[in-house]
Amino acid sequence: MAPKTKAVSRTESFEGVCREIHGSWGEEERIVQLLVGLSQAECRKVREMYMEIYGDDLVQKFDPGLQFLPCLMLDPFERDAVFARDALHGNDGLNYKALVEIFTCRKSSHVLLILQAYHAKFRSQLDLDIASIEPPHPYQKMLMALSASHKAHHADVSQHIAKCDARRLFQTGEGRPGAIDEAVVLEIFSKRSIAQLKQTFFSYKHIYGHSYTSFLKNEASGEFEDAVRVVVKCICSPPRYYAEALYGCLKGTTNDKGALVRVLVSRAEVDMDEIRSDFKKKYGLELRNVICEATLEGNYRDFLVALAAKTSTC
């Protein structure tokens, strides 16, 4: 009888990855291969194990050519806190859409952890940093309303409230002449959960035969209407929104240069299957192929392609 093979525990496996990384400094391709094959939870375990073995934080050790890797090893809320800080104080100027993604596509419990992580890391309050933006901007109003929404207590989604809010939005929007009533929109956004708002916009389409965003798009809209439209798109169909964001970044039609890494890292194990499907449906192209066409061959491209190929796990 052949001798039994000893099962390798997850701890031993992570230790092995750490030792391979430690022996591969200067071999960037090997390090990328080791990490992109793991889930983000496993990458965080590797970071912990590396600290135990070598006393160094991997996040701080990567060479400049691998600075896209640390985001795989951060807790999701810590990573989003970093994304939020970069959106407010990054080299590319204010990035409101990155902040909208955080406040619309994360659970309230996750948003509260982001706020805590932001304060712990940057010694500042994210809400206050958003409120202090100068000059004031319509996105600022929407973000403050969404932030208030996450802090409020929310019951189960109510069909009755959704229908009432939908009618109220109609009566203070396309159902009357002139611009939409900002105060009404902000009040509803600040008092309803994301799930409740999604039901409201579903009810709006059911009652009036078209989406709330199509009404905003058809109007001679201003900056506030544009901001509302982006927020509603994020709430109603995150995969479609992200597919459009990725396409714009890959094709150079947007100034949001950080969207590629931000979206792929944050959605890789959440709804990447749906994003790939919506991308193909809308543009007739495979996301992987567009990434390969838009980026130079090398570690960075391998990193992006691996993320885009991830299967949703939640």
Side-chain angles (χ1 to χ4, degrees), residues 14 38-46 72 269:
F14 294 139
L38 303 175
S39 70
Q40 292 180 27
E42 289 172 333
C43 284
R44 293 193 291 274
K45 289 290 186 181
V46 168
L72 294 178
E269 296 168 15

Side-chain angles (χ1 to χ4, degrees), residues 140-200:
Q140 186 179 23
K141 299 177 184 178
M142 293 301 304
L143 290 166
M144 295 306 296
L146 291 168
S147 179
S149 168
H150 283 291
K151 294 177 182 177
H153 173 73
H154 299 299
D156 294 334
V157 173
S158 165
Q159 301 285 347
H160 174 70
I161 291 176
K163 291 177 182 176
C164 290
D165 284 348
R167 291 192 176 98
R168 195 173 175 209
L169 286 172
F170 178 84
Q171 292 163 0
T172 58
E174 66 176 309
R176 66 167 198 169
I180 63 175
D181 189 325
E182 292 187 15
V184 171
V185 173
L186 294 172
E187 179 191 346
I188 290 174
F189 273 78
S190 66
K191 292 183 177 180
R192 309 292 187 234
S193 69
I194 298 299
Q196 182 66 55
L197 288 170
K198 187 172 184 176
Q199 186 60 45
T200 293

Side-chain angles (χ1 to χ4, degrees), residues 86-88 92-100 256-259 262:
D86 188 60
L88 287 167
D92 297 325
L94 285 166
N95 187 340
Y96 293 107
K97 289 184 179 180
L99 294 168
V100 168
D256 188 359
K257 298 176 182 177
R262 185 180 74 246

